[in-house]
Amino acid sequence: MKLYYSPYSPFSRKVRIAAAALGFGAELELTPTETINPDDPIRQKNPLGKIPTLETDDGDCIFDSAVIAAWLDAQAGGGRIIPRDPKARTRALVLESLADGLAEAAVLIIYESRFREPEERSGKWLAHQGEKIARALARLEQAPPALAGTPDIGQIALACALGYLDLRFSGEWRATHPRLVAWLDDFAETTPAFAATAA
Amino acid sequence: MKLYYSPYSPFSRKVRIAAAALGFGAELELTPTETINPDDPIRQKNPLGKIPTLETDDGDCIFDSAVIAAWLDAQAGGGRIIPRDPKARTRALVLESLADGLAEAAVLIIYESRFREPEERSGKWLAHQGEKIARALARLEQAPPALAGTPDIGQIALACALGYLDLRFSGEWRATHPRLVAWLDDFAETTPAFAATAA
């Protein structure tokens, strides 16, 4: 199976770590993608032109990252990174949404300079996205999710969101979120794919 | 259970139609939400400050819309709006992602004028989002999903995305996508909650 991805995308990294945790790491054919290049094949695979997009050996294209992760979990028999127990499952999926929303806000801040001339940038918009990140970090710092054995998809998403803040914002979040820093260290230690997928 | 929502949000509408299709319409306490008002309770319920967010009778908060829809389906016994068959399930979830991505691009176009002064608006960004919508519509027009009985979450998401284009862009998509127009008419006829949730 083929993963259309970028090494810098937190959502691509989430899928790569999920695949590794499920034992599919070697089967994932990594296909670098330029989403802003109109001639890149990604727009044929996913009309939204977004990564990650997974193309199965049958030629089906699967997106977004949450749907890919759920599909990989099902391929591995189910209940591995997406818990079967309803309460634990909802907790993992809501954490995935929170972490993805945090990463999405960070991506929108980066796009502000990538897509726009300096005079087209909006302090109001940047503040709106920055506040989402700050509130999500504050909530997560209160009680980082407990790690035990294979991480769930929420924990994987959280590690990738924090990794993206490290990559793009020089790890500024670290000074004020010591519990999350310790949590990410634990995650990295128990999940070697995290270091292996660093950009 | 309490749904933090806006009558104009395509993702809120998706959850409302899903709840109605599953027989939970009457149990959903609709709570209007102003996501741009810092004093609105939404930021306590969901640090991202995004709607829809569902608060269960146990006080758990569930988001985003895809996670809420999956939770509602499980509460109803499972396999109703999210197919159990793996192939059909993936097809429904990928369609949900495509339709949500289309709606998200449309929301970003609207935000461009809501959050920014005229000189801060970017033609390049607006074109980037508009092209996502155009490509998604072109793909969907080739083969609208077959409707039979209770709609699945992909079909519900598609109806809400098209409804949002009608609401915000005067239904301009209709002239060039006759099959999708016919599809939406069929959907509306078989799913009364669609008309009942129109803004």
Side-chain angles (χ1 to χ4, degrees):
Chain A
M1 49 197 170
K2 218 168 179 174
L3 186 70
Y4 297 89
Y5 91 113
S6 148
Y8 310 108
S9 149
F11 310 110
S12 298
R13 191 179 190 184
K14 187 176 80 172
V15 167
R16 293 167 70 196
I17 295 174
L22 293 166
F24 293 129
E27 291 166 54
L28 217 55
E29 188 188 331
L30 293 174
T31 308
T33 300
E34 291 181 334
T35 55
I36 52 170
N37 174 0
D39 298 324
D40 193 287
I42 187 65
R43 298 179 188 196
Q44 310 303 318
K45 306 299 175 183
N46 174 350
L48 299 171
K50 284 178 154 180
I51 51 166
T53 294
L54 185 82
E55 188 172 11
T56 70
D57 295 339
D58 295 339
D60 294 330
C61 289
I62 301 178
F63 51 89
D64 60 12
S65 65
V67 179
I68 299 172
W71 184 84
L72 288 170
D73 187 67
Q75 293 297 113
R80 302 268 298 275
I81 59 170
I82 298 184
R84 283 194 206 281
D85 170 72
K87 276 260 174 194
R89 181 187 184 88
T90 300
R91 199 181 309 121
L93 295 178
V94 171
L95 177 59
E96 183 185 18
S97 281
L98 180 60
D100 283 357
L102 194 168
E104 188 66 43
V107 166
L108 284 172
I109 290 174
I110 295 302
Y111 281 0
E112 192 75 4
S113 37
R114 185 168 299 170
F115 275 87
R116 294 172 189 273
E117 301 303 320
E119 64 275 16
E120 293 170 349
R121 296 174 195 161
S122 158
K124 188 177 168 189
W125 179 251
L126 290 171
H128 183 65
Q129 303 307 330
E131 286 160 14
K132 287 183 195 180
I133 296 173
R135 288 192 306 264
L137 287 173
R139 174 71 59 90
L140 290 159
E141 174 72 8
Q142 287 170 16
L147 286 168
T150 303
D152 68 38
I153 191 60
Q155 297 164 342
I156 295 170
L158 176 56
C160 294
L162 296 175
Y164 190 72
L165 296 182
D166 277 339
L167 177 71
R168 295 297 193 206
F169 303 94
S170 317
E172 281 165 25
W173 65 278
R174 290 176 169 265
T176 43
H177 301 89
R179 286 187 197 163
L180 277 180
V181 171
W183 180 87
L184 188 59
D185 287 344
D186 282 354
F187 181 90
E189 200 168 303
T190 51
T191 308
F194 185 68
T197 54
Chain B
M1 49 198 171
K2 217 167 179 172
L3 185 71
Y4 297 89
Y5 91 114
S6 147
Y8 310 107
S9 149
F11 310 109
S12 298
R13 192 179 190 184
K14 187 175 80 171
V15 168
R16 293 167 71 197
I17 295 174
L22 293 165
F24 292 130
E27 292 166 52
L28 217 55
E29 187 188 333
L30 293 174
T31 307
T33 300
E34 291 180 335
T35 56
I36 52 170
N37 173 2
D39 299 324
D40 192 289
I42 187 64
R43 297 180 188 196
Q44 309 303 318
K45 306 299 176 185
N46 174 349
L48 300 171
K50 284 177 153 179
I51 51 169
T53 292
L54 184 82
E55 188 171 11
T56 70
D57 295 339
D58 295 338
D60 294 330
C61 288
I62 302 177
F63 50 90
D64 58 11
S65 65
V67 179
I68 299 172
W71 184 84
L72 289 170
D73 187 68
Q75 293 297 113
R80 302 268 299 273
I81 58 170
I82 299 183
R84 282 194 206 281
D85 171 72
K87 277 260 174 193
R89 181 187 184 89
T90 300
R91 200 180 310 122
L93 295 179
V94 171
L95 177 59
E96 182 185 18
S97 281
L98 181 59
D100 283 358
L102 193 168
E104 189 66 43
V107 166
L108 284 173
I109 291 174
I110 295 301
Y111 281 1
E112 192 74 5
S113 39
R114 185 169 300 170
F115 275 86
R116 295 174 189 272
E117 301 303 321
E119 65 274 16
E120 292 170 349
R121 296 174 196 162
S122 159
K124 187 177 167 189
W125 179 252
L126 290 170
H128 183 64
Q129 303 307 329
E131 285 160 15
K132 287 184 195 180
I133 296 172
R135 288 192 306 263
L137 287 173
R139 174 71 60 90
L140 290 159
E141 175 72 7
Q142 286 170 16
L147 287 168
T150 303
D152 69 37
I153 191 61
Q155 296 164 342
I156 295 172
L158 176 55
C160 294
L162 296 175
Y164 190 72
L165 295 183
D166 277 338
L167 177 71
R168 296 295 193 206
F169 303 94
S170 318
E172 281 164 27
W173 65 278
R174 290 178 170 265
T176 41
H177 301 89
R179 286 187 199 164
L180 276 180
V181 171
W183 180 87
L184 189 58
D185 287 344
D186 281 354
F187 181 91
E189 199 168 304
T190 50
T191 308
F194 185 68
T197 55

